[in-house]
């Protein structure tokens, strides 16, 4: 039986906090994409904590827009803002695990939720960037084969760390194909609401 995890705030409060620290629509869209991806996996692995998984996804990059020049402290700045808004220590911990590769002092992913965040967060960005280049601009007709091509091309979405994606798959005990297929499926599960990425 999974423990019930409390975020200490509602989804609305989390979104208000996100909007206070992020003005770029791209960052807000990335947060919501990761939120919905996390919710998709929560329904499979930890359904009673879907709300918690979603809020972790929504706030995972809370401080990135204001502090992207200091990656080692990414999520450390966010911790005090999340705490001030009523966020729980487990919410802060879960968010900080996804930057443990930048800063070895931060906790490493242990829970399934933390491993999923680590493995899919950069990957959703790569998928989003690939989709925008497609004629359909839709994830609904996007394949693992297309994603593998983009993953191999280091110049494409060069800011996306292939290493993080690889080590995330390893943490989960999945091969890259499985991680790719399942993350695409996750994004397809909520895309019909907003099928075209990168649209005004």
């Amino acid at each position: 039986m999974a423990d019930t995890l409390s975020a200490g705030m509602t989804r609305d409060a989390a979104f208000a906090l996100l909007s206070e620290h992020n003005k770029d629509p791209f960052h807000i869209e990335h947060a919501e994409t990761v939120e919905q991806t996390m919710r998709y996996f929560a329904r499979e692995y930890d359904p009673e904590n879907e709300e918690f998984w979603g809020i972790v996804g929504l706030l995972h990059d809370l401080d990135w827009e204001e502090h992207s020049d200091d990656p080692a402290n990414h999520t450390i700045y966010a911790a005090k803002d999340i705490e001030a808004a009523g966020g729980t220590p487990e919410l802060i911990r879960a968010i900080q695990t996804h930057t443990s590769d930048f800063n070895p002092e931060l906790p490493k992913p242990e829970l399934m939720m933390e491993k999923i965040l680590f493995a899919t967060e950069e990957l959703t960005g790569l998928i989003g960037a690939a989709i925008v280049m497609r004629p359909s601009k839709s994830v609904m007709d996007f394949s693992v084969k297309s994603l593998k091509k983009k993953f191999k091309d280091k110049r494409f979405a060069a800011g996306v760390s292939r290493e993080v994606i690889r080590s995330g798959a390893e943490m989960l005990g999945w091969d890259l194909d499985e991680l790719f297929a399942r993350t695409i499926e996750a994004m397809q599960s909520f895309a019909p609401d907003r099928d075209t990425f990168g649209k005004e």
Side-chain angles (χ1 to χ4, degrees):
M1 189 69 177
D3 294 336
T4 306
L5 296 164
S6 163
M9 62 173 84
T10 61
R11 197 267 174 198
D12 286 350
F15 189 77
L17 184 64
L18 177 74
S19 306
E20 196 184 312
H21 293 278
N22 290 271
K23 302 305 172 205
D24 183 338
F26 178 81
H27 291 146
I28 292 181
E29 186 179 24
H30 173 65
E32 290 185 300
T33 299
V34 176
E35 174 198 10
Q36 293 299 334
T37 302
M38 292 295 286
R39 285 177 178 276
Y40 172 86
F41 284 109
R43 290 193 288 275
E44 180 176 346
Y45 292 107
D46 191 11
E48 58 203 62
N49 286 312
E50 183 186 329
E51 191 70 357
F52 184 90
W53 285 51
I55 290 172
V56 168
L58 192 63
L59 295 181
H60 78 281
D61 272 352
L62 178 66
D63 58 14
W64 184 250
E65 187 171 305
E66 295 168 338
H67 299 288
S68 57
D69 55 343
D70 184 10
N73 288 306
H74 170 33
T75 73
I76 292 174
Y77 294 106
K80 59 182 189 308
D81 296 322
I82 293 169
E83 196 174 0
T88 57
E90 57 256 50
L91 176 64
I92 292 166
R93 187 210 128 83
I95 286 168
Q96 290 192 326
T97 60
H98 93 281
T99 48
S100 54
D101 55 321
F102 280 132
N103 184 339
E105 313 224 324
L106 292 174
K108 295 255 181 293
E110 282 167 21
L111 301 173
M112 187 64 173
M113 166 193 52
E114 295 164 347
K115 293 174 184 177
I116 296 265
L117 177 66
F118 192 94
T120 62
E121 186 256 336
E122 295 255 339
L123 185 54
T124 61
L126 183 64
I127 293 169
I131 286 162
V132 172
M133 310 296 290
R134 295 169 70 74
S136 69
K137 298 217 182 327
S138 170
V139 73
M140 301 314 278
D141 59 3
F142 191 56
S143 68
V144 170
K145 192 176 158 192
S146 303
L147 179 54
K148 283 165 89 165
K149 268 195 206 128
K150 297 295 187 196
F151 185 82
K152 282 189 184 122
D153 178 1
K154 299 287 186 292
R155 289 160 314 181
F156 181 78
V160 171
S161 167
R162 274 59 171 174
E163 209 31 65
V164 163
I165 294 169
R166 276 198 194 90
S167 61
E170 216 166 280
M171 271 175 208
L172 288 163
W174 299 352
D175 62 25
L176 276 177
D177 279 20
E178 182 176 1
L179 177 62
F180 288 176
R182 295 183 73 171
T183 306
I184 291 170
E185 276 161 27
M187 290 174 74
Q188 287 171 339
S189 75
F190 59 86
D193 309 338
R194 196 181 56 200
D195 186 29
T196 305
F197 288 76
K199 200 166 57 173
E200 285 311 310

